[in-house]
């Protein structure tokens, strides 16, 4: 049976398979810091967060960085569907929490990863104490916002990583099928994807993020998604990152790490 591939990252030791050098890590493990679960975007892998990890580890956060079904080291569990990813994410996060017993758990998802986080919370709202979703579309392409390829980084290193991740999942045809799954994701209006928490449980607070240069679909749906999240939990809110595109962990990793850190502190200090 294939296993759901995840990387456990503790502040005292960085994971070599994500190319984070231990010399950049100075913090020690502390149970007082919330654990962060980082969910990558579509046609990508956990490597999407590799430039962001040192900033989070230096702040003392234990991390879980999984590869979604059909991606990276979990390619054998594909193709990706939300019905596949939700139970796998739930089990991986539950095991992580049992092993490290963090004080709090926060899930972060970008693009398709953000949709996966919302689907997970719809089925298991008590799996996390807070969440951050970025660059998420909740309606299909239309005349106001056509589907598009997100802004690609100019660095040769990231170009090679992105090409490698697409090849690992089976090439362009697999990536196009994944895009169709993402476009089918719905919120509100009686659609599939978001509803009241199962068993009457309240949703955790969710920070909805978009870059001011994000994809047209993400910018179109930002206000509506922010309102939907506030209706689920009045601590939820939306924020725009200036001079930012779609994949913040790649394009502006330090700034995105700072935003995550600030949101975590704001949410839990307010409790």
């Amino acid at each position: 049976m294939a296993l759901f591939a995840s990387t456990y990252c503790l502040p005292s030791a960085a994971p070599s398979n994500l190319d984070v050098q231990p010399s950049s890590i100075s913090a020690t493990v502390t149970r007082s810091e919330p654990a962060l679960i980082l969910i990558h975007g579509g046609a990508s892998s956990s490597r999407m967060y590799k430039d962001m990890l040192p900033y989070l580890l230096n702040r003392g956060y234990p991390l879980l960085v999984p590869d979604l079904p059909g991606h990276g080291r979990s390619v054998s569990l594909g193709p990706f569907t939300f019905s596949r990813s939700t139970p796998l994410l739930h089990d991986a996060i539950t095991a992580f929490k049992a092993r490290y017993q963090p004080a709090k758990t926060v899930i972060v998802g970008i693009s398709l990863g953000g949709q996966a986080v919302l689907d997970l919370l719809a089925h298991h709202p008590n799996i996390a104490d807070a969440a951050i979703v970025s660059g998420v579309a909740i309606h299909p392409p239309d005349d106001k916002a056509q589907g598009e390829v997100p802004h690609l980084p100019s660095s040769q290193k990231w170009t090679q990583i992105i090409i490698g991740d697409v090849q690992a999942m089976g090439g362009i045809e697999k990536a196009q099928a994944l895009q169709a799954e993402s476009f089918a994701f719905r919120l509100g209006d009686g659609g599939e994807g978001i509803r009241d928490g199962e068993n009457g449980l309240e949703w955790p607070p969710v920070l909805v993020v978009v870059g001011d240069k994000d994809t047209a679909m993400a910018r179109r749906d930002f206000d509506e998604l922010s309102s939907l999240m506030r209706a689920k939990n009045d601590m939820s809110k939306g924020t725009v990152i200036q001079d930012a595109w779609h994949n913040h962990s790649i394009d502006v990793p330090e700034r995105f790490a700072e935003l995550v850190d600030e949101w975590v502190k704001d949410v839990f200090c307010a409790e």
Side-chain angles (χ1 to χ4, degrees):
M1 177 179 178
L3 297 177
F4 185 47
S6 302
T7 298
Y8 293 84
C9 312
L10 296 181
S12 58
S16 59
N17 61 317
L18 292 183
D19 294 326
V20 179
Q21 297 302 317
S23 60
S24 69
I25 307 304
S26 60
T28 56
V29 178
T30 168
R31 292 292 183 269
S32 64
E33 292 295 342
L36 302 180
I37 318 297
L38 308 179
I39 312 298
H40 64 81
S44 182
S45 72
S46 55
R47 295 191 294 177
M48 181 179 186
Y49 287 100
K50 76 182 196 65
D51 286 350
M52 188 173 159
L53 294 187
Y55 300 112
L56 296 174
L57 289 167
N58 278 329
R59 288 171 167 83
Y61 291 109
L63 306 174
L64 174 66
V65 194
D67 287 312
L68 290 171
H71 296 75
R73 293 164 298 150
S74 299
V75 68
S76 62
L77 299 178
F80 175 91
T81 63
F82 293 107
S83 61
R84 283 193 178 100
S85 80
T86 289
L88 288 169
L89 284 174
H90 176 265
D91 291 349
I93 295 170
T94 299
F96 178 81
K97 290 166 68 175
R99 180 173 179 180
Y100 294 109
Q101 300 182 352
K104 301 285 186 180
T105 303
V106 180
I107 312 179
V108 180
I110 296 175
S111 194
L112 178 78
Q115 293 176 323
V117 169
L118 293 175
D119 194 70
L120 174 66
L121 292 177
H123 289 87
H124 307 284
N126 61 341
I127 193 68
D129 301 287
I132 299 172
V133 297
S134 180
V136 173
I138 58 175
H139 297 294
D142 58 20
D143 292 340
K144 295 181 180 178
Q146 294 294 320
E148 60 189 278
V149 175
H151 171 77
L152 297 176
S154 58
S155 106
Q156 183 177 1
K157 173 191 71 174
W158 272 112
T159 299
Q160 292 173 342
I161 289 174
I162 291 168
I163 292 173
D165 284 341
V166 171
Q167 290 175 338
M169 71 181 299
I172 296 298
E173 289 186 2
K174 296 283 188 180
Q176 290 173 338
L178 178 70
Q179 186 180 59
E181 174 76 6
S182 176
F183 285 171
F185 186 74
R186 299 288 185 275
L187 296 183
D189 300 325
E192 307 254 342
I194 191 169
R195 57 188 181 278
D196 293 334
E198 290 190 352
N199 300 318
L201 297 173
E202 183 183 44
W203 278 59
V206 178
L207 177 66
V208 180
V209 182
V210 71
D212 67 340
K213 300 176 182 178
D214 216 313
T215 62
M217 291 172 62
R219 287 184 280 111
R220 175 200 63 191
D221 296 345
F222 169 72
D223 287 337
E224 181 183 355
L225 179 57
S226 299
S227 295
L228 284 167
M229 293 298 98
R230 282 193 294 270
K232 297 296 181 186
N233 187 305
D234 60 12
M235 291 181 65
S236 297
K237 66 179 183 179
T239 190
V240 179
I241 303 179
Q242 298 299 318
D243 298 317
W245 298 85
H246 187 64
N247 295 317
H248 307 316
S249 61
I250 296 174
D251 298 326
V252 288
E254 184 173 8
R255 287 170 56 199
F256 193 48
E258 289 174 352
L259 184 149
V260 170
D261 186 51
E262 290 172 2
W263 168 248
V264 168
K265 288 178 169 54
D266 285 349
V267 167
F268 299 133
C269 284
E271 289 186 345

